[in-house]
Amino acid sequence: MDTLVLRPFRLEDETEARAAHAELAHDHFDFLLEQRPDGGPEESWAEYVERLEDQRHGRRLDPGFVPASFLAAEVGGTLVGRVSIRHELNDFLSTWGGHVGYGVRPAYRRRGHATAILRGSLGILADLGVEEALVTCDLDNAASEATIRACGGFPDPELPLVGAGATVSAKKRFLVPTTT
């Protein structure tokens, strides 16, 4: 069985990444981060990949963004998912988004990829000095909750749930140790 690898997006990922984005749009999930958060002209794929690399290093961050690693999840040369690992939290992420946001393409679900993505993300956060990651999921997402719990997550004792806001649905909040 091939091992899941988390890696930066590359120029040759464009076709498969855009296909994944279209697949997950049916679930109201953005596989790719917004290409132009300011509503400006769409970036080329090369510009997008460059911006993701800048974001990973904390350079030229768009307003409201924090340093983050936006990585492809690959198994045997196939893009099966993606993850956004936020190196630090701002006010919004501290309440709603958390340190880790991941997604798995529909055809690759129920194979352990989400758990592997989250475990790999926790290792990256540990290397960044984060001891406990905040990970959130929608109230009705039992699969994501099971993934978080499988990685050692437990409900946030201070604020286990947050209500729906203007742009986000209600969330369950979990704390997950980054080291075992």
Side-chain angles (χ1 to χ4, degrees):
M1 181 177 192
D2 290 318
T3 303
L4 184 133
V5 175
L6 297 178
R7 59 159 178 81
F9 279 87
R10 301 184 291 232
L11 294 178
E12 59 268 23
D13 292 325
E14 181 176 12
T15 300
E16 199 170 7
R18 289 191 189 280
H21 188 75
E23 292 166 12
L24 286 161
H26 297 291
D27 295 338
H28 305 287
F29 182 86
D30 289 331
F31 185 83
L32 297 172
L33 293 178
E34 295 180 29
Q35 286 192 284
R36 289 305 311 155
D38 60 3
E42 187 170 316
E43 307 167 282
S44 70
W45 183 256
E47 291 168 329
Y48 179 66
V49 169
E50 181 180 338
R51 184 164 56 88
L52 294 177
E53 188 65 14
D54 283 345
Q55 187 175 1
R56 188 163 67 94
H57 295 285
R59 299 185 301 247
R60 299 186 307 148
L61 296 174
D62 289 320
F65 280 67
V66 299
S69 298
F70 189 72
L71 305 173
E74 179 183 271
V75 175
T78 301
L79 184 63
V80 300
R82 65 82 158 161
V83 65
S84 179
I85 305 166
R86 294 82 172 210
H87 303 177
E88 59 191 57
L89 300 178
N90 58 21
D91 288 341
F92 176 83
L93 294 171
S94 294
T95 303
W96 297 101
H99 284 97
V100 181
Y102 54 90
V104 175
R105 296 173 75 179
Y108 302 99
R109 292 180 180 160
R110 304 183 64 86
R111 300 182 190 185
H113 297 318
T115 302
I117 290 170
L118 182 54
R119 283 200 176 117
S121 301
L122 295 170
I124 291 169
L125 285 167
D127 290 345
L128 292 168
V130 176
E131 295 178 10
E132 198 169 62
L134 172 64
V135 184
T136 68
C137 68
D138 289 342
L139 290 178
D140 62 353
N141 193 338
S144 190
E145 180 174 345
T147 296
I148 295 165
R149 289 181 182 275
C151 291
F154 56 92
D156 180 348
E158 293 184 29
L159 187 63
L161 301 171
V162 290
T167 59
V168 291
S169 62
K171 300 279 186 179
K172 289 184 179 181
R173 296 165 43 92
F174 296 88
L175 300 177
V176 189
T178 60
T179 58
T180 55

